[in-house]
Amino acid sequence: MREPRLRPRRPMASLTQEERNLLRILCAPIPTLGEQISRLAWAVESLWQRHIGQRELHRRLDALRDVVQAGMPQEHSAPEYAEAGLQRLAEATAQQANTVDFRPRPDGGSPLRLAAMTPPCQTEVGMRFRKVHGAANDFVLVAEPDPGQQWTGLAQALCARRTGIGADGLVTSTLVSTEPAVLEVACYNADGSVATMCGNALRCAARCAQEDFGLQEMTLVMAGVKHEAIVRDGEVRVTAEVGVVEMRRLQAVHCGRLLWFDSAYTGTDHVVAVVEDVDAIDAEAFGRLVRHHTDLAPVGANVSFIQSVGRQELKIRTYERGVEAETASCGSGAVAAVVIATTRGLVAPRQVTVHNRAGTPLTVHPHAERPGKAYWISGPVTTAYEGVWA
Ligand SMILES: N[C@H](CCC[C@H](N)C(=O)O)C(=O)O
């Protein structure tokens, strides 16, 4: 009988890491019944956390939303609410537009005559402009513009930071009547798109109307919507209308955590997320991703991150659609932030100070006659310089 040839045993130390791992698995002691039960319990628990837990979380959030909605007017929870809201806003807009008197005035002060009286923007050397900013949201403002001018391409050229004047947007302002004082104001984003509402642009237009015509109180019509404006004590305030508000409009993942964005229409589209620390957010990169979120397609939205920093105080950062960058402040965004913060119970429905990147806070307070439907946005406006675009 042949002797079995025994291979010399390799000492453990000479085994490779892979072999050692394999050995550990093969030689693992059979788990006791107790261990088997606890492993099963662990698997069930992690399954619950991952799937059922999420569902439970959503159930609780929905229940919470039901509680919040129970306190809201009945119509807000109906599915038709969003559509009805849009309809109401469209009607209100049409109505408001109709009430602006563009007809020639009996005293002969027709809009045309007024425009002829005011300094036209075109000079022999080029187009006169002012560089104005409302809490560092900066604009090229053209007063009494040429009515035949096409603005899309020109807005892009003027707003270009390296090759133009550089601004977040272009504002044109035309005096329509003096009694009552009404101006037609248009705002174009830096990419040439039309902004249907821009709180800071309106504030800048009001300041320039005060400089040009001595007006202190006036109506500004932007995209067919009337806004009240008051220039007083170094502050300029304008009104913003609030349309549809939708809580938990969309969800996005930030640093592995789910973040809800609520939306509020304040003349233009805004989505707002409440975060613990606005400074820890890359508002430019994350804002851009959310702005292009499929749930917001095709128009997208302005994206704000807000933080509660005390009683009636919020901190905000805003990525602006059309500027396609983070801006230093945003008026309609501040209103959207206050609307959402009020709905979520972070602030009371009174005046709120909104601290922005500019370090020049805007204050937002409910319109006394239309609480919940309109807000005042106040803050300073500065004319940096004037020039001629040749
Ligand atoms: N900065 C503006 C908002 C501009 C909105 C614009 N980016 C748009 O939605 O097209 C403000 O002070 O209200």
Side-chain angles (χ1 to χ4, degrees), residues 137 189 194-195 197-201 268 302 320-321 329-333:
N137 193 190
N189 290 307
V194 173
M197 159 61 178
C198 180
N200 283 327
T268 185
N302 299 286
E320 270 195 50
R321 168 181 74 180
S329 83
C330 177
S332 54

Side-chain angles (χ1 to χ4, degrees), residues 187-320:
C187 181
Y188 302 84
N189 290 307
D191 71 355
S193 60
V194 173
T196 51
M197 159 61 178
C198 180
N200 283 327
L202 286 171
R203 295 190 321 102
C204 290
R207 156 72 76 214
C208 291
Q210 190 237 345
E211 284 169 8
D212 294 345
F213 310 109
L215 301 172
Q216 282 197 316
E217 294 189 16
M218 66 206 89
T219 298
L220 304 176
V221 185
M222 181 175 271
V225 178
K226 282 205 294 182
H227 300 268
E228 298 167 57
I230 301 173
V231 185
R232 193 177 293 149
D233 304 329
E235 290 252 314
V236 185
R237 64 172 62 173
V238 296
T239 54
E241 308 293 313
V242 178
V244 177
V245 176
E246 199 181 333
M247 304 308 280
R248 296 168 73 214
R249 170 85 172 71
L250 66 93
Q251 215 176 24
V253 179
H254 183 259
C255 294
R257 290 181 65 181
L258 287 172
L259 205 56
W260 280 109
F261 284 83
D262 307 320
S263 70
Y265 189 82
T266 55
T268 185
D269 309 285
H270 286 273
V271 292
V272 180
V274 181
V275 297
E276 275 168 23
D277 179 6
V278 285
D279 296 321
I281 302 269
D282 184 344
E284 183 96 13
F286 191 42
R288 180 174 295 123
L289 285 176
V290 176
R291 177 253 185 277
H292 290 287
H293 196 291
T294 47
D295 287 4
L296 298 172
V299 284
N302 299 286
V303 182
S304 290
F305 304 92
I306 60 167
Q307 177 189 348
S308 170
V309 287
R311 283 185 68 216
Q312 301 302 104
E313 289 191 52
L314 299 171
K315 213 164 157 182
I316 192 168
R317 289 181 67 185
T318 303
Y319 177 92
E320 270 195 50

Side-chain angles (χ1 to χ4, degrees), residues 151-176:
W151 294 104
T152 307
L154 190 54
Q156 292 168 350
L158 292 167
C159 295
R161 296 269 175 210
R162 288 179 192 278
T163 52
I165 298 161
D168 292 332
L170 164 73
V171 183
T172 63
S173 170
T174 311
L175 185 68
V176 175

Side-chain angles (χ1 to χ4, degrees), residues 139-154:
F139 303 96
V140 172
L141 189 141
V142 179
E144 304 311 319
D146 180 348
Q149 180 68 54
Q150 294 296 308
W151 294 104
T152 307
L154 190 54

